[in-house]
Amino acid sequence: MADIFDAYALADAWDEMFERPGEVRAAYEPVLAALQPIEPAELRFRADQMARAFTDRGVTYAFAGEERPWPLDLVPRILDALEWDLIQRGVAQRVRALEAYLADAYGPCRAFEDGVVPWRLLLNSPHFHRAAHGVEPPGGVRIHVAGIDLVRDEAGDFRVLEDNVRVPSGVSYVIENRRAMTRVFPSLFAEQHVVPVDGYAQRLLAALRAAAPGGIGDPRVVVLTPGPNNAAYFEHALLARLMGVQLVEGHDLVCRSNRVWMRTTRGEMPVHVVYRRLDDDFLDPLHFRPDSVIGCPGVMSAAMAGNVTLANAVGNGIADDKLLYTYVPDLIRYYLSEEPILPNVESFRPDEPGQLEAVLDQIDRLVIKPVDGAGGQGIVIGPKADRETLERTREAVAADPRGWIAQRPVALSTSPTLAGERMAPRHIDLRPFAVNDGSDVWVLPGGLTRVALQEGNLIVNSSQGGGSKDTWVLAEGPAEQRPEEPGGPLPQKAPRQLGPDGTRAVVQEGAQQQ
Amino acid sequence: MNDVILSRIAEALTWTGRYVERADATGRILDAYLHRLLEDPWRDEDAACRSLYAILGVDAPDRHCDMQQVLDRLAFDARSTGSIEGALGAARLNARSAREAVSSEMWECLNSTWHALADQRTAARRTGGPYAYLELVRRRAALFFGLADSTMSRDDSWRFVVLGRSLERVDMTVRLLSVRVLDAAHAPDWPTLLSASGADEAYARVYGGFGDSPRVAEFLLLDRDFPRSALHALTTAEECLSALGRPRQDPARRPIGALRTHLEYLDSEALEAGLPALLRDLQQACMASAEAVAEKFFPYQGPVEWAQEGA
């Protein structure tokens, strides 16, 4: 029988499924047991079926101007309870620290006075909006939703790659991935204890309602979208539908006397919370880009007057600037008096005296990122770049040190991914989503695992042709509940030889439960 | 929270209903014509095609017309909302922009239909027979409205979908009859008219036979129970408008209400004598009503007020 894992050669990175060739990690045993006996043609068939279902349901994304089905790989990415506990605490901690930073930066500026962060970081930031200064958001929440990008390094440790606290997107794909996987591999879910992800919309709605201006009994929440032509429109519509709130475009809203109304068939209705899914720049042509036709004129003034809450708040961009990123561990210590739970990727600031030279000297060994880039744009991977690119980057960094950071390259962990008719290791990352209701930062169990579909590629964004995986967080306990193997229970992380006998035993176990 | 509906969404829902109904009716008409052409040994393809163009309000080309041209123009032309594919494409875009108002199942129905059309179109071109294509359109339109009926609350959103469908239905029925009445020489025969309205079996049940007389016009206009008759569709549209809750002198409701009452009390002889004028009135009433609906419920492109308000 053909085995789809036959040619699986581990790359020079942490592999999520295999500890060593042939030695599967405990959490992945049932998945491997279920996948291994499947014929390649059958896997292809299931993958095609899934793509077809995504196309029919409109779960698509724009790639090179074309509507393509959302690329979900068949092999899930699994996090055990311990790993998840760490991630969840680390992400929540990070969000709390960034909240504190935003409150500080748009308020007393203590961190700058105390020299934790240099003033120029704030004053030079293109995302620092005077309009946001002095606006005291209800409950003190500016980051209602955050997406924190994590990678796992060669040693298996999770590190933060970047923070997204402006308009983080992708959560709809977490929900859709789960929905698709439960249909393609129903039996797998029956035997594993995967924590569900369907609580997101309720949490989000509760947080948005909690963010309404004071004194409003039954606040009206809307989702503001740039419209059907936006790449993330599917997500906007899904969230609005799951929350049962209106999905509005800019021209559905009208502002009068610093209040926001929406135009309905029964006249104008007041709006109290706008979960906006467009950037600051396009939000309000009176305050920001005057040529924006997708925004709502006057909405910023209404927010400043305290009559409407914008989620996320305007001006959050100063907190997910890639240069500020390098200061977040210090901010955690400064504001929270805690040690960072999740470390950063080792980074350099060309902006700081002495570091520019160090960066320029070893530019061919570093990853160079524009502080303002989104979607993997403008990133130069030193060890893989040609001379000309390196030279150009060197000049660009020297000319504008504030515009760049440099990082030690991390070989992102790999996960088995269907490539053609075989499994092959592909690099992955993870974006957990956090919702902050003012009293608690809740992290959706799992998050979006993105996978670079090209061999060796380290950039996993879907706008760069990446795929995704369903992310499973295993509930605590199932390991002990599993029937004991002859000879006593296996230790949690015991290596396990997958010989012909072992394989058969596992397959039978899986088959029995189908 | 579902008591209110955005003006933009209401407009999109109305047009979704209209376009799906248009695709359905166009498909039925094409199917009936094709069938008749194939069965009729003395067929005049050119004349039949011209009468089809006339029904659907499309200018016929100067050169000889054949069925393939008709299909290209009335079924497969994605750029025109007067063709099946154009109408379904427009319905899909409207539903897409109202995706939190229509149910997921309705949206998926339209979206998967849109994706499935291409395959059936290719098959239709290859085999020379568009039956599978037309059947797909008919089935999916039925599925769409069935899903609307079974997955949408009977709130205003649903009423706008039904209103759009009803207005379009009156329009298509009237178009079909107009050709028979105004240009009898090239017009379809009565049985074809019935099957193009999906009414042949219902008619047979009521009158016990095939349609061979102006009684068909009476059935298609005045039957209280047949859902595609003008009277039935007008009644439905009026019910929707009434439930949308407006003052007595509703400019949207008045024109169709007046005609509905007129039809209710019309006898066969008066109908036959005044048919051309009646058909014209029906079409105008639908147009006037649709315009009034747009003016009242979709005024979202309001005056620009912010220029004076400042920051």
Side-chain angles (χ1 to χ4, degrees):
Chain A
M1 187 169 76
D3 186 335
I4 46 173
F5 285 93
D6 269 352
Y8 194 80
L10 293 183
D12 235 357
W14 176 276
D15 191 81
E16 299 284 342
M17 189 183 272
F18 294 99
E19 197 153 352
R20 272 183 289 278
E23 286 180 27
V24 66
R25 296 182 197 277
Y28 279 89
E29 280 174 12
V31 168
L32 182 66
L35 286 174
Q36 207 158 30
I38 301 180
E39 289 287 334
E42 169 66 17
L43 267 190
R44 233 328 105 209
F45 173 72
R46 292 196 195 191
D48 290 346
Q49 256 193 333
M50 211 157 62
R52 180 66 192 258
F54 279 144
T55 306
D56 282 350
R57 305 187 49 239
V59 186
T60 56
Y61 73 106
F63 181 72
E66 207 185 302
E67 240 182 80
R68 293 208 186 163
W70 175 251
L72 169 58
D73 182 64
L74 293 174
V75 186
R77 187 259 184 88
I78 301 178
L79 299 163
D80 66 32
L82 274 176
E83 288 171 327
W84 179 247
D85 180 59
L86 181 83
I87 291 172
Q88 165 185 277
R89 285 186 295 118
V91 166
Q93 178 191 53
R94 203 130 172 134
V95 172
R96 283 185 285 124
L98 291 171
E99 276 286 16
Y101 173 73
L102 282 168
D104 193 15
Y106 287 112
C109 295
R110 277 174 36 221
F112 306 99
E113 300 285 359
D114 290 350
V116 182
V117 185
W119 275 105
R120 63 179 186 283
L121 201 70
L122 179 63
L123 303 178
N124 289 346
S125 172
H127 300 293
F128 180 69
H129 290 302
R130 277 188 310 128
H133 205 279
V135 177
E136 190 48 49
V141 182
R142 288 181 174 82
I143 305 172
H144 303 83
V145 179
I148 309 293
D149 289 351
L150 306 178
V151 297
R152 202 204 276 262
D153 66 14
E154 300 84 345
D157 294 324
F158 283 98
R159 290 174 179 272
V160 178
L161 192 62
E162 65 180 65
D163 308 289
N164 298 280
V165 296
R166 277 177 280 174
V167 188
S169 65
V171 72
S172 58
Y173 298 118
V174 176
I175 297 168
E176 285 298 328
N177 283 356
R178 179 62 51 83
R179 188 187 147 112
M181 284 296 282
T182 51
R183 277 161 177 71
V184 178
F185 293 114
S187 55
L188 269 180
F189 286 88
E191 57 194 79
Q192 297 243 33
H193 293 70
V194 182
V195 183
V197 295
D198 51 12
Y200 183 81
Q202 289 95 302
R203 292 275 187 165
L204 178 60
L205 182 61
L208 292 172
R209 287 171 65 90
I216 291 161
D218 185 15
R220 187 184 297 279
V221 177
V222 299
V223 177
L224 175 60
T225 173
N229 292 327
N230 186 273
Y233 180 72
F234 164 74
E235 172 153 314
H236 309 159
L238 182 77
L239 291 178
R241 201 169 57 238
L242 290 180
M243 291 193 287
V245 305
Q246 257 86 20
L247 178 66
V248 304
E249 296 176 15
H251 54 251
D252 293 322
L253 299 178
V254 58
C255 299
R256 198 174 299 113
S257 317
N258 282 342
R259 288 180 191 279
V260 182
W261 310 81
M262 62 179 191
R263 297 180 162 118
T264 80
T265 54
R266 291 176 190 260
E268 292 175 357
M269 300 277 177
V271 170
H272 307 107
V273 181
V274 178
Y275 180 45
R276 47 92 175 217
R277 295 299 302 259
L278 25 81
D279 291 334
D280 290 358
D281 282 352
F282 293 96
L283 191 58
D284 184 343
L286 293 181
H287 281 272
F288 309 110
R289 286 179 60 150
D291 59 337
S292 170
V293 292
I294 53 176
C296 171
V299 76
M300 189 63 215
S301 301
M304 288 161 73
N307 292 328
V308 71
T309 303
L310 296 174
N312 288 349
V314 164
N316 279 8
I318 60 166
D320 63 8
D321 179 314
K322 288 195 180 62
L323 185 51
L324 184 87
Y325 159 88
T326 63
Y327 291 92
V328 175
D330 296 336
L331 295 177
I332 291 173
R333 296 186 191 99
Y334 178 71
Y335 290 119
L336 309 179
S337 307
E338 295 171 11
E339 274 304 303
I341 296 169
L342 295 170
N344 274 9
V345 173
E346 196 186 325
S347 307
F348 302 86
R349 305 163 186 149
D351 187 37
E352 269 186 11
Q355 293 215 1
L356 176 62
E357 291 70 27
V359 168
L360 293 182
D361 279 352
Q362 47 177 332
I363 201 161
D364 56 339
R365 274 172 283 151
L366 295 174
V367 177
I368 315 293
K369 294 179 172 178
V371 295
D372 236 5
Q377 280 168 353
I379 293 179
V380 178
I381 298 174
K384 297 199 171 177
D386 57 33
R387 260 172 87 164
E388 198 186 322
T389 313
L390 283 177
E391 207 41 56
R392 227 180 23 241
T393 311
R394 203 190 300 266
E395 280 167 27
V397 175
D400 177 21
R402 167 69 177 89
W404 301 84
I405 64 163
Q407 290 179 331
R408 186 179 69 80
V410 177
L412 275 51
S413 62
T414 57
S415 170
T417 301
L418 188 63
E421 299 211 323
R422 283 280 179 280
M423 291 295 166
R426 292 289 183 262
H427 294 294
I428 59 173
D429 77 348
L430 176 65
R431 175 179 286 185
F433 292 91
V435 175
N436 184 6
D437 66 6
S439 55
D440 179 37
V441 178
W442 175 77
V443 187
L444 174 69
L448 181 61
T449 293
R450 294 178 298 181
V451 50
L453 294 179
Q454 270 105 42
E455 196 174 350
N457 196 343
L458 289 171
I459 297 177
V460 296
N461 290 52
S462 56
S463 51
Q464 310 249 337
S468 76
K469 284 171 171 291
D470 192 15
T471 312
W472 294 2
V473 171
L474 300 185
E476 230 158 338
E480 295 92 74
Q481 285 163 18
R482 244 179 260 154
E484 284 189 5
E485 307 253 352
L490 286 167
Q492 185 79 37
K493 287 210 163 188
R496 187 168 173 191
Q497 191 69 44
L498 268 185
D501 294 339
T503 314
R504 199 167 57 237
V506 179
V507 170
Q508 276 171 355
E509 183 188 316
Q512 250 173 7
Q513 308 207 9
Q514 293 227 337
Chain B
M1 227 174 286
N2 289 325
D3 52 336
V4 247
I5 137 168
L6 288 173
S7 296
R8 176 176 55 82
I9 300 292
E11 184 171 24
L13 291 173
T14 310
W15 281 102
T16 306
R18 267 201 106 122
Y19 283 134
V20 174
E21 176 68 18
R22 185 177 299 173
D24 182 24
T26 307
R28 285 173 186 283
I29 292 171
L30 287 177
D31 205 17
Y33 262 74
L34 282 173
H35 191 70
R36 172 169 171 262
L37 267 181
L38 288 180
E39 296 222 319
D40 181 1
W42 299 280
R43 64 185 162 185
D44 178 351
E45 194 174 12
D46 184 71
C49 291
R50 282 177 195 283
S51 99
L52 255 181
Y53 281 128
I55 289 173
L56 297 168
V58 173
D59 290 330
D62 295 332
R63 57 209 156 82
H64 178 81
C65 302
D66 61 32
M67 231 27 231
Q68 193 54 51
Q69 284 170 21
V70 167
L71 287 173
D72 283 341
R73 180 72 186 78
L74 298 178
F76 307 142
D77 184 359
R79 287 159 308 169
S80 157
T81 52
S83 86
I84 292 174
E85 225 156 302
L88 285 176
R92 172 179 177 260
L93 288 182
N94 274 291
R96 185 166 184 237
S97 73
R99 255 178 87 170
E100 97 291 6
V102 300
S103 69
S104 305
E105 288 179 71
M106 289 163 72
W107 153 251
E108 281 165 38
C109 169
L110 281 182
N111 194 42
S112 62
T113 303
W114 173 246
H115 287 294
L117 280 181
D119 281 350
Q120 290 297 343
R121 187 198 324 123
T122 314
R125 286 217 166 101
R126 207 167 47 224
T127 60
Y131 293 106
Y133 178 95
L134 296 174
E135 187 177 327
L136 173 79
V137 171
R138 217 162 41 228
R139 279 173 191 264
R140 292 300 175 90
L143 180 61
F144 176 79
F145 287 123
L147 287 171
D149 277 352
S150 60
T151 61
M152 283 183 91
S153 285
R154 293 300 184 270
D155 56 10
D156 285 358
S157 298
W158 178 76
R159 288 185 193 107
F160 279 108
V161 174
V162 175
L163 176 66
R165 177 184 68 185
S166 306
L167 290 178
E168 184 72 19
R169 198 168 264 187
V170 177
D171 181 69
M172 288 304 266
T173 303
V174 168
R175 278 171 187 280
L176 203 53
L177 282 170
S178 297
V179 175
R180 175 76 232 176
V181 172
L182 303 177
D183 181 16
H186 294 118
D189 53 25
W190 293 110
T192 306
L193 276 188
L194 276 177
S195 65
S197 298
D200 35 7
E201 290 173 13
Y203 177 91
R205 203 159 292 138
V206 172
Y207 290 103
F210 298 107
D212 55 355
S213 76
R215 256 200 307 198
V216 171
E218 193 180 327
F219 184 79
L220 288 181
L221 287 176
L222 301 185
D223 193 86
R224 264 169 227 283
D225 302 325
F226 182 64
R228 280 174 202 281
S229 82
L231 179 60
H232 194 283
L234 280 179
T235 310
T236 311
E238 203 191 345
E239 280 165 5
C240 288
L241 285 167
S242 145
L244 286 168
R246 289 296 136 177
R248 260 166 221 286
Q249 287 301 313
D250 180 354
R253 194 175 152 191
R254 197 188 318 125
I256 50 179
L259 259 180
R260 199 252 313 146
T261 333
H262 180 58
L263 290 184
E264 297 250 25
Y265 299 102
L266 202 60
D267 62 45
S268 311
E269 275 171 39
L271 175 72
E272 213 177 328
L275 197 49
L278 180 64
L279 292 172
R280 208 172 41 242
D281 290 349
L282 271 167
Q283 213 146 24
Q284 275 167 4
C286 284
M287 240 150 64
S289 178
E291 275 169 24
V293 165
E295 200 171 305
K296 181 156 45 183
F297 294 108
F298 322 142
Y300 63 92
Q301 267 143 349
V304 180
E305 291 166 63
W306 52 273
Q308 290 83 32
E309 264 199 32

